[in-house]
Amino acid sequence: MSSSLSLPRSSDVSSPAATLPVICLAGPTAAGKSASTLALAERWPMEIINVDSATIYRGMDIGTAKPSREEQARVPQHLLDILDPAQSYSAAEFRADALRLIDDIRARGRIPLLAGGTMMYYKALRDGLDDLPQADPALRAELEARAAVEGWPALHAELAGLDPVTAARLAPNDSQRIQRALEICRLTGQPMSALLQRASRKPDDDANRYLTISLEPSERSALHARIEQRFDAMLANGLLDEVRTLRQRPDLHPGLPSVRCVGYRQMWSHLDGEVDLPTAREQGIAATRQLAKRQITWLRAQPDRVIVDCLAPDVVAQTIDVVAMALAPVGKS
């Protein structure tokens, strides 16, 4: 275990739970966050706030590695199964929900434990949000209608003329982000890149209250092997049938954030007849590895994190030790 964060010693902590750090347990997919999360929440009076853009959806259990009903019954958990897959959920909505839950949990004399791998949510919570206009449903519908006729590459080319900086970092078929960038250009008359550059930020009033524990692999290939094993386990447990059930709904389609989740979009593509199952499996594993790479890159850019090797045999014990240093005065529930 290595650390760039100075943790409080037990003699330094004499305050009630409301002033203790909010524990954040982050890490790439397949790092084993669930085991450490449950161990922490059962040792101290904690409630879990899930930081995951996929487990928010009902009916998406296998491919999201959602905590089982038994696990959910063992400790209080929040932000699970809060949306139908046809709905969307923004980082701004997560931030508002998480801040409210942190206050509610502390008011009950308990400790918030944020756990998950959606790094955009952590960033929104701690750093605040860019001051950008809200979505315009009518304008979005217009852009979608145009894309249905012209194709998203054509709209990407249009964006390149309005906001070349943003267009340069987007793929020609990245429908969600192209739509958002064009929407902002139309609503503000300015390119999104310019607004982001000078946008006012709204960070948490006390960003130092977060203790971030990062479960990171000491060997990338070992994490890749875990990812492959976990994906195969999901397939064996019925991932394809889960996606087939979702696909039978007329209101769901590949453009939705829920269907774009890793694993789901590859199985959906197979069911659409675009690829065979072995190819979909390989694509799903590759996409999961890419997701893990992005997560690790984001984590390594965070200076104030305590690193625990997720491949260590005593990873849970190490994680408990880190938290014990910060929460020593708080007894077991």
Side-chain angles (χ1 to χ4, degrees):
M1 178 178 67
S2 62
S3 169
S4 58
L5 176 67
S6 177
L7 293 173
R9 300 292 179 181
S10 58
S11 59
D12 298 330
V13 182
S14 58
S15 52
T19 60
L20 291 172
V22 175
I23 308 301
C24 298
L25 185 63
T29 184
K33 295 183 292 295
S34 297
S36 291
T37 297
L38 288 171
L40 293 174
E42 291 180 332
R43 185 179 180 89
W44 287 282
M46 292 181 172
E47 297 186 26
I48 300 168
I49 300 173
N50 286 279
V51 188
D52 193 296
S53 61
T55 57
I56 57 175
Y57 293 113
R58 294 185 289 272
M60 294 176 58
D61 304 328
I62 299 170
T64 64
K66 188 177 295 177
S68 66
R69 295 300 176 189
E70 179 185 0
E71 290 170 334
Q72 293 181 45
R74 284 160 62 182
V75 296
Q77 300 206 32
H78 304 278
L79 301 186
L80 288 176
D81 295 326
I82 60 172
L83 292 180
D84 182 86
Q87 298 174 293
S88 61
Y89 189 67
S90 67
E93 290 171 306
F94 169 81
R95 185 175 195 271
D97 287 341
L99 289 173
R100 172 182 53 79
L101 285 166
I102 287 170
D103 288 343
D104 290 349
I105 292 167
R106 285 178 154 178
R108 290 191 285 271
R110 300 176 70 82
I111 303 165
L113 170 58
L114 288 100
T118 300
M119 305 310 169
M120 176 178 61
Y121 286 179
Y122 283 117
K123 179 176 176 59
L125 178 63
R126 297 187 59 170
D127 298 341
L129 296 161
D130 299 302
D131 191 13
L132 298 175
Q134 295 294 313
D136 184 307
L139 180 53
R140 289 196 166 189
E142 175 190 331
L143 292 170
E144 287 176 359
R146 285 186 54 200
V149 176
E150 303 172 33
W152 285 108
L155 271 68
H156 180 265
E158 178 179 324
L159 177 64
L162 297 169
D163 186 354
V165 174
T166 298
R169 62 181 178 83
L170 301 183
N173 284 304
D174 193 344
S175 58
Q176 183 182 29
R177 292 177 177 83
I178 293 170
Q179 181 187 58
R180 178 59 173 156
L182 284 172
E183 177 186 51
I184 289 170
C185 286
R186 290 274 296 274
L187 291 173
T188 67
Q190 302 176 68
M192 184 172 73
S193 56
L195 291 175
L196 289 174
Q197 190 172 8
R198 63 174 182 269
S200 61
R201 307 291 291 181
K202 303 179 181 65
D204 192 305
D205 292 337
D206 185 11
N208 293 326
R209 64 177 174 163
Y210 295 98
L211 166 62
T212 300
I213 303 169
S214 180
L215 303 186
E216 300 178 26
S218 54
E219 185 180 349
R220 191 74 63 93
S221 62
L223 181 67
H224 287 178
R226 275 194 187 182
I227 287 171
E228 182 173 1
Q229 292 165 4
R230 191 173 78 155
F231 198 88
D232 283 340
M234 289 175 176
L235 286 172
N237 289 333
L239 174 59
L240 187 58
D241 287 337
E242 184 172 76
V243 178
R244 184 178 286 112
T245 298
L246 294 169
R247 187 171 169 274
Q248 290 172 350
R249 289 181 43 172
D251 58 335
L252 300 184
H253 55 83
L256 291 169
S258 59
V259 180
R260 287 199 301 270
C261 288
V262 170
Y264 288 87
R265 65 174 179 263
Q266 289 79 21
M267 293 302 109
W268 193 290
S269 177
H270 163 64
L271 292 171
D272 276 349
E274 297 175 5
V275 295
D276 59 21
L277 185 56
T279 300
R281 171 189 174 273
E282 290 298 323
Q283 291 175 344
I285 292 170
T288 308
R289 288 174 175 170
Q290 285 298 312
L291 171 61
K293 180 180 179 180
R294 293 193 300 271
Q295 291 168 321
I296 292 170
T297 298
W298 187 89
L299 286 165
R300 288 179 175 172
Q302 309 309 305
D304 60 338
R305 76 194 193 282
V306 179
I307 304 168
V308 175
D309 183 3
C310 67
L311 304 176
D314 61 342
V315 57
V316 173
Q318 287 192 46
T319 304
I320 288 173
D321 287 345
V322 172
V323 176
M325 292 177 68
L327 304 182
V330 182
K332 185 178 179 180
S333 58

